[in-house]
Amino acid sequence: MQGLEGLRAALAERFGEAFPAEVPPEAADRLAGLAAHRVIRAFTDEPLDPALVRLLCACALSAPSKSDLQQRDIVIVSDPTLRARIADLVPGLPWLRTAPGMAVFCINGRRLPQIAEWRGKPFPNDHVDLLFNGIGDAAIALAWFQAALAMAGLGGCPVSEIRNHAEAVSGLLGLPDKVVPYAGFCFGRPAEAGAVTPRLPLDVTVHENRFSEENLEERIAAHDARREALRPYSRQRGTRRFGTADGYGWSEDKARQYSEPLRAGFGDFLRGKGFRLE
């Protein structure tokens, strides 16, 4: 369902509130596609035309870039052997092995210092902002890639877990100093419809003039109940440590997820790749 009705229905499902705003029909169709976004992890066997993949990359790299610095690159993983070696690192994600297409979005903090050297200019910006800008560029390009996939009738799933094996992935992809993997992305023609994931209500995440946490705990509890009713989690994390919760919503899941150290050595990896974090 597209158009204004589809847009309002998708947003109501996502956020649990009505959005009475009026937009032109052509805008409603485009916005409905964003509002109804679904992650896809199951794909048909239909192969992807390399020319189409290149076009989608071009659309992704048409995204805004901080000061036109263009600190993001995409590595298309088309070699089956290379793909299998990356998939072996994350065996819990079978779609990484089976999706028709895979890309790795990278932060590139290397090109600007190279250009400065070629042009005989100083480069006094080798500090954390170099990395921060690259993160933003890579993230926006990934988001536009996802949107381009949907417009082309395809779907996909970001794979941030490759950062758990950032050094190994960097080696497999031949990433030089100051070029690091931000996220993988598996994509292809969907074999499932996917589902809309409820998000925190806008009165938690959208602020006007000043940041506010008024009634935050109560609002998140309400989101937990809504999430559990609409899209319950298929399993509970850490039951050996925390037991089984009677009510298992978003906040309980995320509290359990981040109760264990995750990528604690990633800063050391970034420093080893030549980034300065001061």
Side-chain angles (χ1 to χ4, degrees):
M1 178 169 45
Q2 293 287 86
L4 188 57
E5 183 181 352
L7 171 60
R8 288 173 173 168
L11 290 174
E13 184 177 3
R14 182 85 72 188
F15 295 102
E17 68 171 272
F19 289 83
E22 298 284 341
V23 294
E26 63 275 12
D29 285 342
R30 293 193 295 269
L31 292 171
L34 294 177
H37 161 68
R38 296 149 191 249
V39 166
I40 300 297
R41 298 185 177 93
F43 307 92
T44 69
D45 294 332
E46 183 179 339
L48 296 170
D49 181 354
L52 174 60
V53 174
R54 189 169 179 81
L55 182 150
L56 294 170
C57 288
C59 291
L61 296 174
S62 298
S65 169
K66 195 276 177 196
S67 297
D68 193 26
L69 295 175
Q70 304 185 59
Q71 293 180 260
R72 71 288 179 269
D73 289 9
I74 304 171
V75 179
I76 301 299
V77 183
S78 57
D79 184 321
T81 301
L82 177 59
R83 168 85 80 89
R85 294 181 68 183
I86 296 174
D88 286 343
L89 297 172
V90 283
L93 305 181
W95 51 88
L96 197 151
R97 189 181 302 275
T98 59
M102 180 184 175
V104 177
F105 286 73
C106 298
I107 299 160
N108 188 331
R110 179 181 181 84
R111 207 154 33 227
L112 293 177
Q114 286 177 312
I115 291 170
E117 182 178 355
W118 299 338
R119 295 291 180 178
K121 303 297 189 298
F123 191 80
N125 294 293
D126 189 6
H127 47 69
V128 72
D129 198 52
L130 182 71
L131 173 63
F132 198 79
N133 289 334
I135 292 170
D137 272 11
I140 296 170
L142 185 149
W144 278 46
F145 188 76
Q146 175 73 74
L149 283 172
M151 293 176 190
L154 304 175
C157 177
V159 184
S160 63
E161 196 165 337
I162 66 167
R163 291 203 303 276
N164 293 352
H165 310 277
E167 188 167 356
V169 171
S170 289
L172 289 170
L173 300 181
L175 303 183
D177 281 355
K178 285 191 169 69
V179 178
V180 299
Y182 173 72
F185 207 114
C186 296
F187 57 97
R189 193 160 299 281
E192 61 179 18
V196 170
T197 300
R199 298 292 196 220
L200 288 167
L202 268 63
D203 58 10
V204 169
T205 56
V206 177
H207 312 265
E208 187 165 355
N209 298 322
R210 293 184 64 83
F211 190 92
S212 172
E213 292 183 334
E214 184 178 358
N215 300 322
L216 179 61
E217 189 171 359
E218 293 83 355
R219 295 180 191 277
I220 289 180
H223 173 69
D224 286 340
R226 183 171 178 272
R227 168 67 193 254
E228 190 173 16
L230 292 177
R231 194 176 177 192
Y233 289 93
S234 60
R235 64 177 180 85
Q236 296 191 11
R237 301 176 191 263
T239 52
R240 289 186 179 181
R241 181 178 177 187
F242 300 109
T244 300
D246 292 335
Y248 191 85
W250 174 82
S251 64
E252 180 68 19
D253 184 75
K254 298 312 158 194
R256 293 188 183 203
Q257 180 179 353
Y258 272 73
S259 67
E260 301 288 345
L262 299 173
R263 303 185 189 116
F266 195 63
D268 290 338
F269 165 75
L270 292 172
R271 292 184 184 93
K273 291 287 281 186
F275 280 104
R276 297 181 63 184
L277 305 184
E278 294 79 16

